[in-house]
Amino acid sequence: MNKIEIKSVLTVYEDVSELPEDIQQLMNIAVNARKKAYAPYSKFRVGAALSLENGEVVIGNNQENASYPSGLCAERVAIYQAGAKYPDLKIKSLAISASSDIKETLTPIPPCGACRQSISEYEIKQGEPISIYFMGKTGRIIKADSLKDLLPLTFDKDQLI
Ligand code: THU
């Protein structure tokens, strides 16, 4: 019997102003996307903005539905839109901001497990890591250099055949 250690090193920024300028802009776009989320049921709003290798930015926000499971998270709205619109362009960075109408969200809110799995598909497809920055409404931001740091032991296509 052996044990293995799984380690992720993440970067913490105290405030948006500490981020590199291009990422500050990306986070601002995510915040604006968050404000347009359709979240009448949870009142929990998430905005995502991802930058592509050609400088294009694709946004997403959560879209809820009276049939709850039919809704979709912001991160997947964004990544699927990028996959549909720019299938051959690499994704460089993803910025995420989440807030609740019910309680303060001043700590970084990470993407859910299903979104991590979805993002991982595109990171593997493009063969280059995606930097992921996540924040609450405002305040501290956590950066993962790759999706792998948020989802070790990923299930991927190599396990299928
Ligand atoms: N949500 C996201 O948009 N991203 C996540 O990573 C977690 C959750 C949305 C889904 C739902 O509309 C609301 O937040 C509450 O779960």
Side-chain angles (χ1 to χ4, degrees):
M1 202 265 297
N2 270 316
K3 297 210 177 192
I4 55 166
E5 187 183 345
I6 298 173
K7 190 172 156 187
S8 292
V9 178
L10 306 174
T11 308
V12 180
Y13 299 87
E14 287 308 318
D15 185 77
V16 175
S17 63
E18 270 190 14
L19 292 169
E21 214 163 292
D22 57 328
I23 304 298
Q24 287 189 28
Q25 282 175 20
L26 198 64
M27 187 56 86
N28 285 335
I29 295 171
V31 167
N32 284 326
R34 186 194 83 209
K35 291 175 183 166
K36 294 183 192 137
Y38 179 60
Y41 306 106
S42 72
K43 316 269 188 221
F44 190 80
R45 302 172 191 284
V46 186
L50 52 85
S51 58
L52 304 173
E53 60 184 339
N54 69 347
E56 199 86 34
V57 171
V58 175
I59 65 149
N61 45 30
N62 51 327
Q63 298 295 318
E64 297 188 347
N65 193 283
S67 171
Y68 292 3
S70 300
L72 198 62
C73 292
E75 296 88 331
R76 275 178 285 167
V77 170
I79 204 133
Y80 291 151
Q81 192 184 171
K85 225 170 156 184
Y86 305 101
D88 300 322
L89 290 183
K90 289 184 175 160
I91 299 163
K92 305 298 272 185
S93 301
L94 169 63
I96 304 161
S97 171
S99 72
S100 164
D101 297 349
I102 297 161
K103 59 177 255 185
E104 284 281 50
T105 53
L106 298 177
T107 52
I109 313 273
C112 77
C115 286
R116 294 180 203 196
Q117 181 68 30
S118 300
I119 298 163
S120 110
E121 182 73 24
Y122 293 86
E123 189 173 88
I124 291 164
K125 178 184 161 217
Q126 70 182 30
E128 269 179 38
I130 301 173
S131 309
I132 298 163
Y133 298 79
F134 51 93
M135 182 175 83
K137 185 178 185 182
T138 181
R140 188 173 285 179
I141 294 127
I142 293 181
K143 177 198 180 194
D145 294 332
S146 162
L147 191 276
K148 281 189 197 137
D149 291 319
L150 299 179
L151 188 68
L153 305 179
T154 314
F155 177 81
D156 66 40
K157 60 180 168 36
D158 293 340
Q159 282 133 26
L160 283 180
I161 39 173

